[in-house]
């Protein structure tokens, strides 16, 4: 894919959604951190439902740590892998209090040192909470980048490096959100909605999915 096509793709994304953001609900960097940790292999919808009950009760590292694992589990047991995530969240809260004065750190290294926080989660926090240019490659972005030809790669790290290189600078801040939303609602895993896609005419995906025919 040539640079002109990439620029046009992101121009269209921006025109359709000038101010994209995460679908996770949060009001502070800490709330976003907890939501992202809990969102691994779970839907944003399920996380938001749980957080609407948890955050009114506890929404600081001190408050959630005070719940303990057994106290946190009832709030998040509707989310997949909740036992492991509960342990990670409680330990993360302890480290935030002991090492960072109860604040979410603003460096990748410090973020990735927290339990349950990998490179993808760190990138989300840096980009969404702190306004830094970072692209968190999840399954949606990995699929869209490879399928469309925007930034093909064999693994998430390779796709991230390519995206940071090939996405025009003026679009890098929001590229993460546009690509996730495109993968979540249009360029879906099993059957991409090519007939309803704003970039279908310039996408490199060749076996375009035809519009479904209505049953007679």
């Amino acid at each position: 894919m040539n640079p002109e096509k990439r620029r046009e793709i992101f121009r269209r994304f921006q025109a359709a959604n000038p101010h994209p953001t995460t679908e996770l609900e949060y009001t502070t960097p800490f709330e976003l951190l907890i939501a992202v940790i809990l969102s691994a292999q779970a839907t944003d919808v399920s996380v938001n439902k749980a957080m609407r009950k948890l955050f009114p009760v506890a929404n600081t590292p001190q408050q959630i740590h005070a719940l303990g694992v057994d106290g946190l589990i009832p709030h998040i047991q509707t989310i997949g892998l909740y036992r492991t995530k509960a342990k990670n969240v409680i330990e993360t809260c302890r480290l935030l209090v002991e090492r960072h004065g109860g604040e979410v750190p603003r460096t990748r290294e410090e973020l990735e040192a927290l339990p349950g926080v990998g490179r993808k989660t760190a990138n989300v926090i840096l980009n969404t909470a702190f306004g830094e240019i970072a692209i968190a490659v999840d399954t949606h972005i990995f699929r869209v980048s490879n399928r469309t030809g925007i930034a093909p790669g064999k693994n998430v790290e390779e796709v991230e490096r390519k995206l940071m290189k090939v996405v025009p600078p003026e679009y890098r801040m929001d590229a993460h959100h546009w690509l996730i939303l495109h993968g979540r609602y249009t360029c879906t895993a099993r059957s991409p909605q090519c007939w309803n896609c704003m970039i279908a005419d310039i996408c490199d995906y060749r076996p375009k999915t035809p519009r479904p025919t209505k049953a007679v």
Side-chain angles (χ1 to χ4, degrees):
M1 178 175 287
N2 61 49
E4 290 73 20
K5 278 188 176 182
R6 290 193 185 95
R7 185 175 299 278
E8 176 61 15
I9 284 172
F10 285 99
R11 186 199 68 76
R12 293 183 189 183
F13 285 158
Q14 185 184 60
N17 186 2
H19 305 291
T21 189
T22 179
E23 293 187 319
L24 291 170
E25 298 171 1
Y26 72 99
T27 59
T28 66
F30 173 72
E31 288 186 356
L32 178 62
L33 174 62
I34 298 307
V36 177
I37 291 174
L38 294 175
S39 71
Q41 300 181 52
T43 66
D44 287 359
V45 171
S46 68
V47 173
N48 286 338
K49 286 182 179 178
M51 295 305 91
R52 288 172 198 151
K53 297 179 180 178
L54 171 63
F55 288 152
V57 175
N59 72 335
T60 68
Q62 295 87 346
Q63 291 171 343
I64 291 183
H65 185 260
L67 292 175
V69 172
D70 291 340
L72 178 60
I73 282 178
H75 295 282
I76 67 170
Q77 60 188 0
T78 54
I79 301 172
L81 307 175
Y82 67 89
R83 293 187 186 278
T84 298
K85 291 176 180 179
K87 293 177 182 178
N88 286 338
V89 166
I90 295 301
E91 180 64 8
T92 285
C93 289
R94 182 184 72 81
L95 294 175
L96 289 177
V97 172
E98 293 183 1
R99 297 182 182 176
H100 305 288
E103 299 295 324
V104 176
R106 299 181 69 129
T107 70
R108 182 187 305 282
E109 292 73 23
E110 290 173 315
L111 285 166
E112 291 187 21
L114 300 171
V117 178
R119 185 174 182 87
K120 183 191 76 173
T121 297
N123 279 340
V124 172
I125 301 304
L126 291 171
N127 177 263
T128 306
F130 298 133
E132 296 187 20
I133 294 177
I135 298 177
V137 179
D138 68 351
T139 55
H140 294 301
I141 293 182
F142 183 78
R143 178 178 67 254
V144 170
S145 296
N146 277 283
R147 183 185 278 164
T148 63
I150 292 173
K154 296 179 181 179
N155 53 56
V156 293
E157 290 83 7
E158 185 177 350
V159 168
E160 180 188 336
R161 288 196 301 271
K162 284 192 175 181
L163 285 169
M164 289 296 288
K165 180 180 179 180
V166 304
V167 174
E170 64 269 32
Y171 298 118
R172 283 180 196 159
M173 180 64 73
D174 293 323
H176 156 84
H177 298 300
W178 286 320
L179 291 170
I180 282 181
L181 294 171
H182 191 65
R184 186 172 288 167
Y185 297 112
T186 303
C187 198
T188 50
R190 294 187 178 181
S191 184
Q193 299 177 27
C194 300
W195 72 93
N196 191 37
C197 174
M198 70 179 75
I199 64 168
D201 59 316
I202 51 177
C203 158
D204 285 352
Y205 182 61
R206 286 291 166 259
K208 306 292 187 187
T209 308
R211 181 184 295 274
T213 56
K214 293 183 179 180
V216 178

